[in-house]
Amino acid sequence: MDDAIGRDRTVAVVGTGTMGQGIAQVALAAGHPVRLYDSAPGRAAEAVAAIGARLDRLVEKGRMDAAGREAAAGRLHAAADLAELADAALVVEAIVEDLSVKQRLFADLEKTVGDDALLATNTSSLSVTAIAGGLRLPGRFVGLHFFNPAPLLPLVEVVRGFATDETAATRAYETVKAWGKTPVRCADTPGFLVNRIARPFYAEAFRVLEEGGADPATIDAVLRESGGFRMGPFELTDLIGQDVNEAVTRSVWDSFFQDPKFTPSLAQRRLVESGRHGRKTGHGWFSYAEGAERPEPHTAPPAKAPERITVRGDLGPAEPLVGLFEAAGITVRRKKGEGFVDLPGGVRLSLVDGESSFEYHQEEIVYFDLALDYAAAGRIALSAREGIAPEALAEAVGLFQALGKQVSVIGDVPGMIVGRTVAMLVDLAVDAVDRGVATAEDVDTAMRLGVNYPAGPLEWAEKVGHRRLCALLRQLHERYATGRYAPAVGLVRRGYTEEAEELR
Ligand code: NAI
């Protein structure tokens, strides 16, 4: 059954700034007649011209033919008045992010369009339910959260407000799908899917910095080269704008009644206060002044690899390392045990588990961080307690260098960098699924397409194991005790289920 709005029906876009123009272009390319309205005089006509210029560029690049461009331009009109939107089958609002202004606009629109028209908001941080709160027919109201730039980015979050009818949500979903987008369905929750679940990607990195674990360049490098993320959180927030990124964090935190899972960062607060908003101001975490060089990540100097090691038990998600060690010519002996690597000099190597090295009095323990794919990782982070014998640490460094990897030795921060980041992303993702915000599949799609994650958090959790991630969070919870790291009930449950299946 095709529930999408017919291509012959008019789509209206109200608010013709960055997002409105992008959304209008998408609807136009899909074949709809499109009408634009903006309250600032002349702005809608400017948008018509700007979209026309963008279509011209598509023709120049050979991505659209001249006849298609003419036809599209013929379907695009500026409206001088809201009344001209009367026959729209769908109105997408992309005006200023202000609840009362949006509410007023929709009250006017409700008097203008037919009762069967769909009404949608592109809000990124307001409650869809609140915007629709005063409407006569809130059932036909949805959130359609496009990402910037809308013509290029495939993801659209289709948000059901408290009063949204299932038929309206399905119609909106099928319509954006027919436009060539990848829609995901989600309930009306602070930050929707992407902005809710992505918070720890930034917050954990900022915490590692605040705790003196590593500097921004090193944390970025570890998340890129070991975590597989396209960009590190420091460089990414410099691109987004520290003010914009912090505003999203604060809005989600406030909307969750200041739940510690979403607590903003003091280090980022200071950056915003100082006016260092990122690339756009010439300075953020990094400097963008003329000639400024990006600091290099800390990388350990070359060290000698041990000739033989003992692997005790199964290394879990780090098990592929064993084959890599052997391929590098290191003799590996296997013995029973709880998943450690013993080095000849007496160091015990362990995959990050949320504990701190200083808690081990008897032996020298060195932690290595989680990697998305140990074979592909270009860098591995290690952490050891202060005062560890340099030769002991060097042996661990040499072991990973023998695999052709760079090594960053970071401070003794529980959960390290990738470990705590992934555990928190999984925690929030699992919690969103269990609360019915979205399906597991949609959560993973949203994170892969909305923020370019190399794997969806739920898919990642399957690889690492829920029990292991839950145990890591429990260790962090014990050490920080703010509630931030208390594992979600659903993560605990999945951990037990996994254990029960293994015992069977
Ligand atoms: P913008 O500032 O570029 O454009 C807003 C436009 O709305 C302006 O042209 C303004 O004249 C017009 N406007 C303001 N009040 C109006 C009213 N009462 N009636 C008609 N027109 C009105 O803003 P932008 O960035 O396009 O954002 C629009 C909406 O999209 C906001 O709700 C924002 O949160 C959301 N959004 C923004 C994203 C972004 O990356 N910029 C991404 C996703 C959502």
Side-chain angles (χ1 to χ4, degrees), residues 14-19 37-40 43 94-97 101-102 122-124 145-146 148:
V14 180
T16 60
T18 313
M19 293 309 292
Y37 175 77
D38 197 289
S39 59
R43 196 67 65 78
I95 67 168
V96 58
E97 188 77 334
V101 180
K102 286 192 198 281
N122 183 51
T123 183
S124 45
H145 185 221
F146 287 80
N148 186 24

Side-chain angles (χ1 to χ4, degrees), residues 324-348:
L324 298 174
F325 293 142
E326 285 171 335
I330 294 162
T331 305
V332 177
R333 279 202 307 170
R334 297 212 72 146
K335 289 200 171 169
K336 283 206 177 113
E338 290 179 20
F340 294 107
V341 180
D342 281 337
L343 305 186
V347 160
R348 173 157 282 196

